[in-house]
Amino acid sequence: MERIRGDGGRTRRREPEPEEEWTDDEEYVEPLSAAEAAREGLRQVIELTGREPVGTTSLKAVRDGWLVGVEVIEDRRIPASTDLLGLYEVELDIDGALLGYRRVRRYQRGKGEVG
C-alpha cells in the first residue's frame, strides 16, 4: 500500500522573513492552491475508501486550510442511474495534510439534490 503524503509531492523551500536570519533547519511549505487542494482531497478519499471517484463537487477555503467535497461511487448497480453515491467532506490543513474526513450523504444517482 502506498504511503499517503500530505504535501501532494510539492517542493519545499525556505523563505525567510525580511529581517530574519536564514537557517538550514527550517522549511517553508508553499500553501496549497485551490486546484491543488481539490486534487489532494480527491486523492485522499480514494486512498482512504478505495472507492471509484466521480469527482470533486465543492471547495471552500477555511481559516486553516480547505474543505473539499468529493463524490464517489459506493455501490454500482444496473442501470447506472441507480448507482449509490457517497458525498465526502475532506478537511486539509494549509499544507495539504489530512485533518479529517467524513461521509456527509449517501444517495442514489439522479436523486442527489432534493428541494
Side-chain angles (χ1 to χ4, degrees):
M1 177 175 258
E2 178 184 329
R3 184 170 177 262
I4 297 174
R5 291 185 53 174
D7 64 3
R10 290 174 294 122
T11 59
R12 294 176 180 257
R13 60 185 171 86
R14 171 79 167 105
E15 289 186 4
E17 296 299 319
E19 296 180 14
E20 181 184 14
E21 271 189 48
W22 179 270
T23 60
D24 289 332
D25 61 339
E26 296 182 51
E27 291 182 1
Y28 171 80
V29 176
E30 190 73 31
L32 254 66
S33 69
E36 289 171 325
R39 283 189 297 270
E40 183 64 16
L42 182 68
R43 190 186 70 75
Q44 292 282 0
V45 167
I46 293 166
E47 185 73 26
L48 291 165
T49 66
R51 307 279 188 201
E52 181 182 341
V54 174
T56 301
T57 60
S58 65
L59 180 66
K60 180 180 179 183
V62 292
R63 182 176 180 178
D64 296 325
W66 297 95
L67 287 178
V68 184
V70 176
E71 194 173 52
V72 299
I73 299 172
E74 296 215 329
D75 188 22
R76 281 212 173 273
R77 296 190 174 170
I78 298 175
S81 61
T82 62
D83 287 350
L84 285 180
L85 304 179
L87 179 61
Y88 287 79
E89 182 178 79
V90 182
E91 185 178 0
L92 303 173
D93 71 11
I94 198 79
D95 299 326
L98 179 68
L99 297 175
Y101 84 107
R102 67 188 181 107
R103 184 173 63 201
V104 179
R105 294 183 53 220
R106 192 170 190 208
Y107 51 93
Q108 193 174 31
R109 188 188 302 264
K111 296 184 180 181
E113 293 296 323
V114 177

